[in-house]
Amino acid sequence: MHALLLIDIQNDFLPGGALAVRDGDGIIPVVNALMPQFEMIVATQDWHPPDHGSFAANHAGRNVYEMIDLHGLQQTLWPVHCVQNTGGALFAPGLDTRRIARVFPKGTDSRIDSYSGFFDNGHRGDTGMAEWLRGQGISELTLCGLATDYCVKFTALDALECGFKVNLHLEACRGVDLQAGDCEKAIADMRERGVVIG
Ligand code: VGL
Ligand code: ZN
């Protein structure tokens, strides 16, 4: 079976949000139109506690987009975003959520960030998504969502490692591009590792 995996389609990643991705809302009609082609739909949700270590505001004297060492891992510092039980963490209002079979929260441990929906950035913790998908008989995934150069990329690479066939629906993805070319590089990395880009 083939599942559609919606990555972090949340208010804070849309224009006007705390960590807005340019034209992030442009994917919503595309994603909604994709849904009928899939037997199963699963979503990830960036879901941080207020004291999360990826927030610049939680590090005195540090600015957003700086890099720090966070408990032994390199970490980009982000604006406060997707805080648990706030409006910014909600799925985009235009997203058709009716057929989402299961939501996997991520980034819930203050000590470590989690760009991937499968494992945290240190591959220390597991959300259980791979095991759950396998249990549902899913062997192939199509990914879409935000952001191409962070959560989409790391979820896609972990999905390959977990043994899934992985497709990326590019028209239904948008990226941050902190540095010009980051998205192009992310797409090239994914393709090189075996993600089918469509
Ligand atoms: C994301 C940065 C921080 C993403 C999440 O969804 O791509 N990026 N948290
Ligand atoms: Zn985050």
Side-chain angles (χ1 to χ4, degrees):
M1 271 220 293
H2 189 167
L4 180 66
L5 186 46
L6 316 181
I7 310 296
D8 298 1
I9 308 180
Q10 296 168 256
N11 286 329
D12 270 339
F13 298 122
L14 304 186
L19 181 36
V21 175
R22 193 168 52 83
D23 195 35
D25 53 345
I27 71 168
I28 291 166
V30 185
V31 172
N32 288 340
L34 272 177
M35 291 182 184
Q37 300 173 33
F38 292 86
E39 298 159 285
M40 174 166 282
I41 301 169
V42 174
T44 66
Q45 190 171 29
D46 212 32
W47 192 247
H48 298 306
D51 66 348
H52 198 265
S54 75
F55 297 162
N58 291 329
H59 301 274
R62 295 292 186 169
N63 295 311
V64 292
Y65 311 126
E66 271 182 43
M67 296 286 285
I68 63 159
D69 177 293
L70 184 63
H71 307 293
L73 288 178
Q74 283 292 104
Q75 174 69 49
T76 300
L77 291 177
W78 301 107
V80 174
H81 67 279
C82 296
V83 174
Q84 296 171 4
N85 303 303
T86 65
L90 294 175
F91 290 125
L95 184 70
D96 182 357
T97 57
R98 290 171 298 179
R99 283 191 57 227
I100 297 176
R102 176 120 184 225
V103 177
F104 288 90
K106 63 183 185 60
T108 58
D109 182 340
S110 296
R111 297 165 301 180
I112 192 163
D113 210 354
S114 191
Y115 295 147
S116 159
F118 292 97
F119 306 103
D120 63 48
N121 291 0
H123 275 225
R124 296 168 188 164
D126 182 340
T127 63
M129 185 161 71
E131 195 186 349
W132 187 84
L133 290 168
R134 285 188 205 109
Q136 297 292 314
I138 302 293
S139 56
E140 181 168 2
L141 300 172
T142 290
L143 272 63
C144 62
L146 309 168
T148 312
D149 39 352
Y150 292 93
C151 292
V152 173
K153 172 186 168 183
F154 285 91
T155 303
L157 296 181
D158 279 348
L160 286 175
E161 248 179 64
C162 289
F164 296 98
K165 181 175 194 305
V166 185
N167 309 280
L168 184 72
H169 196 95
L170 206 49
E171 191 196 354
C173 297
R174 297 289 186 279
V176 176
D177 268 340
L178 267 191
Q179 315 264 16
D182 281 354
C183 284
E184 282 311 311
K185 208 180 309 153
I187 292 161
D189 285 350
M190 287 188 269
R191 184 181 279 123
E192 210 166 281
R193 298 272 289 272
V195 176
V196 176
I197 313 285

